[in-house]
Amino acid sequence: MKHPLTSLVWYSFFFTALVLAFFGVNSLMRFSPDPNLKGIYMVYGILMFGDALAMLLCGLFINRRFTAVFWFAVTVLSLNIILTIFDQFGLIDLLFVMLNASTLGLVVNFRKEFLPQ
């Protein structure tokens, strides 16, 4: 029997994917007269879309009890936390780290629901 809070994990992955997609679009829409900064913003946007896609895939396949998906989700969440801490850190970064840390905590706490028996 599935624990009722496992659906919270699913929603958390999708919410994080939406946040990343929003920031990706925001990064691509930034205006800068300096062409070097425009390129950097484009790279940031593409990386955020890639991260959003990874979160979306984790959310879609985490309930299928694949060991590889579970460890991929743990890896993506851990990298999001670690890489955010080693960047310029502000309030948005703190909220993003807390969102990823809470999702990671739920995934690890309910690992028996997501791993094959």
Side-chain angles (χ1 to χ4, degrees), residues 16-63:
T16 305
L18 283 173
V19 168
L20 285 165
F22 173 77
F23 284 133
V25 168
N26 190 25
S27 182
L28 289 176
M29 301 301 280
R30 270 187 150 169
F31 176 75
S32 176
D34 185 6
N36 292 330
L37 286 179
K38 183 120 177 119
I40 289 171
Y41 293 147
M42 187 180 307
V43 169
Y44 284 161
I46 291 168
L47 289 173
M48 286 181 199
F49 284 130
D51 196 10
L53 179 64
M55 291 296 224
L56 183 65
L57 290 174
C58 288
L60 287 174
F61 295 111
I62 192 78
N63 286 329

Side-chain angles (χ1 to χ4, degrees), residues 71-98:
W71 288 111
F72 179 71
V74 169
T75 302
V76 169
L77 289 166
S78 299
L79 283 173
N80 280 348
I81 294 166
I82 292 168
L83 294 176
T84 303
I85 290 173
F86 290 110
D87 191 19
Q88 295 175 348
F89 200 79
L91 178 62
I92 299 296
D93 298 311
L94 176 63
L95 295 173
F96 188 68
V97 166
M98 289 173 53

